[in-house]
Amino acid sequence: MSASQIEPFHAIAISRLAHQMKAEGRSVIHMEFGQPSTGAPKAAIARAHQVLDTDGMGYWESPGLKAAIARRYADQDGVEVDPERIILTCGASPALVLALAATFKPGDRVALARPGYVAYRNTLKALNLVPVEIACGADSGFQLTAAHLAALDPAPAGVIVASPANPTGAVIPAAELAAIARVCRERGIAVVSDEIYHGLSYGEPARSMLAFEPQALIVNSFSKYFSMAGWRLGWLVCPPDQVARARAFMGNLFLTPPSLSQHAGLVAMDCRDELEGHLDVYRANRRLLLDALPALGLGSIAPPDGAFYIYADVGHLTDDSLAFCETLLRDTGVATAPGVDFDPVDGHRFIRFSFAVSTAEVEEALQRIIPWFAARPRRVPA
């Protein structure tokens, strides 16, 4: 396995085309990326302005921010986390790199759900680890289960769990998380839990894996719930015996996250009312899309219980989701993500809508795409 086998992130090509169309004067609605259209909380931006005017800044890891993150685990999950186990990172992507590099050795097998976030598979390959993709369809709620992991022979060295998940928005119930943790302890499987969409749930809140497996490595970020994708700020929670190794990787590969982002992030953690207002917008957008699915002819979707995605089966219309998304964009100005990014086997028949945009944009997008979908000829299976 080598880094040369890393596949491109096709949604980036779709986004590039969308921006080109916009530069040409076309009206474009960006539903291809999972990033909030809102900015950072107002108080966080004000704090950033203040810091820019008064602080030259430098390499730094904020003790106050680590303490605030630790309090968040105590308040939301009833889990005590020593702040020194928290490594601040330049977003969730470096946190994932740290978790994998500090835990596994080249050649180790790491299980993950398919469909799943494209960077899981490709980061594993880049680190000379072996992805073990497990097909997770409607029968398991598009999520990994304890039964999946119990059935793997031999047991993998690790597993990446994501709840809520990208691209589906599917949430793993607490009882299933507990069962996954139990199987992993019994089989010696290290758990890496991507919790970047925590805070974005539409039913029961997603639980942290730390509540069930204290030795899990937890990846999280300010990009989604805190609406700070461009600030590149995240964190990794390490087991005590892996902190020094993960810090060595962080120092050599990334140094520290931006100081300005850390100042702003600390303030953002206290902006709950504003952030919950964003969630209200996503909830309304989700309902608009779910109500419109019959008019789009999309009857098979993953359960969007969290995050801000609809992952829909368009196999009755295409067997090439990348070409489908490109044509949809050129014809309607609505950008979406092709399923092949998230599932190299079955993703040719799926697309992903992100509803992390304004409600007005969702309404406009639906006006454009409902007649477009209705006019598409049905595909005759080979």
Side-chain angles (χ1 to χ4, degrees), residues 53-300:
D53 290 336
T54 60
D55 188 344
M57 294 179 284
Y59 301 130
W60 180 58
E61 189 181 38
S62 168
L65 182 54
K66 292 197 296 182
I69 292 170
R71 285 194 300 272
R72 184 176 173 86
Y73 285 108
D75 294 343
Q76 295 191 356
D77 291 283
V79 175
E80 295 297 324
V81 177
D82 183 344
E84 289 308 303
R85 291 175 54 196
I86 297 169
I87 300 174
L88 300 178
T89 63
C90 311
S93 297
L96 178 65
V97 170
L98 296 184
L100 298 176
T103 306
F104 305 111
K105 63 182 184 300
D108 277 349
R109 301 164 65 251
V110 178
L112 62 159
R114 178 174 57 77
Y117 180 45
V118 58
Y120 299 154
R121 180 187 337 118
N122 287 326
T123 302
L124 287 168
K125 290 179 179 180
L127 294 173
N128 292 308
L129 302 171
V130 181
V132 179
E133 294 190 292
I134 300 172
C136 296
D139 56 340
S140 66
F142 290 86
Q143 275 286 16
L144 282 174
T145 66
H148 284 134
L149 295 172
L152 289 179
D153 185 19
V159 62
I160 299 174
V161 175
S163 174
N166 179 8
T168 62
V171 172
I172 302 177
E176 190 63 40
L177 282 175
I180 289 171
R182 183 172 60 254
V183 167
C184 288
R185 281 193 299 272
E186 291 171 351
R187 306 197 73 195
I189 302 171
V191 180
V192 177
S193 181
D194 183 352
E195 301 181 358
I196 191 173
Y197 295 101
H198 275 214
L200 301 175
S201 297
Y202 307 103
E204 288 295 315
R207 298 292 306 281
S208 175
M209 182 58 86
L210 285 175
F212 309 101
E213 177 46 75
Q215 296 299 306
L217 294 103
I218 309 298
V219 172
N220 211 324
S221 170
F222 281 79
S223 292
K224 310 301 182 180
Y225 176 76
F226 293 99
S227 195
M228 295 177 67
W231 296 74
R232 308 314 304 137
L233 181 63
W235 71 88
L236 173 69
V237 181
C238 285
D241 63 351
Q242 289 178 247
V243 171
R245 180 169 167 79
R247 286 198 178 282
F249 278 106
M250 180 65 193
N252 282 283
L253 296 178
F254 308 109
L255 290 175
T256 66
S259 295
L260 185 66
S261 300
Q262 295 180 63
H263 285 291
L266 179 56
V267 173
M269 297 192 75
D270 291 328
C271 297
R272 184 174 178 84
D273 289 347
E274 185 176 348
L275 296 169
E276 288 297 307
H278 296 169
L279 183 59
D280 290 340
V281 173
Y282 304 150
R283 187 177 286 110
N285 294 351
R286 172 181 177 272
R287 176 44 52 196
L288 281 170
L289 282 167
L290 290 176
D291 289 346
L293 290 178
L296 294 171
L298 305 182
S300 178

